[in-house]
Amino acid sequence: GILTTLSQTNGKYKYDYATIPFLAEVFKLIVSSVFLWRERKKSPPPKMTTDWKSVRLFPIPSVIYLIHNNVQFATLMYVDTSTYQIMGNLKIVTTGILFRLFLKKKLSNLQWMAIVLLAVGTTTSQVKGCGEASCDSLFSAPIQGYMLGILSACLSALAGVYTEFLMKKNNDSLYWQNIQLYTFGSIFNMARLVVDDFRGGFEKGPWWQRLFNGYSITTWLVVLNLGSTGLLVSWLMKYADNIVKVYSTSMAMLLTMVLSVFLFSFKPTLQLFLGIIVCMMSLHMYFAPPHMLVDIPPAIKSDPESLVNVPVDRKTDS
C-alpha cells in the first residue's frame, strides 16, 4: 500500500503496515473465541446458527472493508491527509442515509438536522486557520480525489450498516457472530499479505517470516487499540446502532484533541472550540426527547363543572 511504501522510504517506520490490521483481526478472533468458550459453559448454552445460508453472509463486510482500504490509499494519492480527514466526515451523513434506506429506521427532521450538525461540527474542529498553507489545499485537489473521498465515505457507511444487519438478524451469541466476522477478516487480510509478497517478488521473504519485524511497544499498542475498538464496535452494532457508533467516534475524536492540549502541548484553536460546541448541540438534539427541544404548551383539560350551558334557540319550520 501507499502508507507502507512511504514508511519504508522515509525510515520512520520499520514494519509492514499491512500486518497491523491482520494482527488486529487475529486478536479479535482470539478474544471472541475465549468469551464464547466461557459462554458455552453456562446454562442454557448460547444460540449458534451454523446454517450455510447464514454463514455465507459474513464475508461480505470483509470484502467491503478490503475495497474501502484500497480506496483510502487511492484517495491519498490525490489529496493531503488534512483534506482526507475533513472529507472523512461525509461518512456521518452517508451512514444516516443508508441507515434509513437499508435498515428502514425512520429519523425525525430534528435527528436529520442533528446528523448534519455533527458533520459540520467535526469538520469545523479539523479546519486549520486561514492563512496557513494547508488551508488552501482543501480546494486545490483534483476532482478524482473528491470522487474517491465520497466513495470511501459511502463504503464505510455501507460496511457499518451491513454489519449491524448481520448482528441483529437473529438472536445468535455476539461472540459467535464475531468469530464468523473476524475469521473471514483474518483470511482476507492474510490474502492481502500474500498478494503483496507476489508483487514484491518475495524480495523480503514470505509474510510470516517478517510478521513482527520492526515492531515496538508503540506498534503493539496500535494493534491492541484497533482490536479493542473493533470488539467495542461489535457491542454497539448488536445492542445499539450505527448512529450511536458515529456519535461515539466523533466525540472520541474531539476528546482526543482536548487531551492533546494537556498532554502534548497542542495549541487549541477557535475552530476546535466552535466544533465542540456544535457537536454537543448535535448530541443533545439527536437524543433528547422532543418536548425538551420544542416548547409545547400543555394540553388544557376541560373541567366539567366549569362548563356553562348555553341555551340554543331552535327554530321550527312552519
Side-chain angles (χ1 to χ4, degrees), residues 1 16 18 189-208 210:
D16 185 353
N189 277 280
M190 183 175 62
R192 179 193 170 184
L193 292 172
V194 174
V195 171
D196 288 344
D197 284 344
F198 278 99
R199 287 180 176 178
F202 292 90
E203 182 180 355
K204 296 184 179 181
W207 63 270
W208 60 84
R210 52 183 172 80

Side-chain angles (χ1 to χ4, degrees), residues 203-224:
E203 182 180 355
K204 296 184 179 181
W207 63 270
W208 60 84
Q209 292 184 359
R210 52 183 172 80
L211 185 60
F212 306 115
N213 288 353
Y215 269 52
S216 62
I217 296 178
T218 304
T219 315
W220 283 110
L221 288 176
V222 171
V223 173
L224 181 63

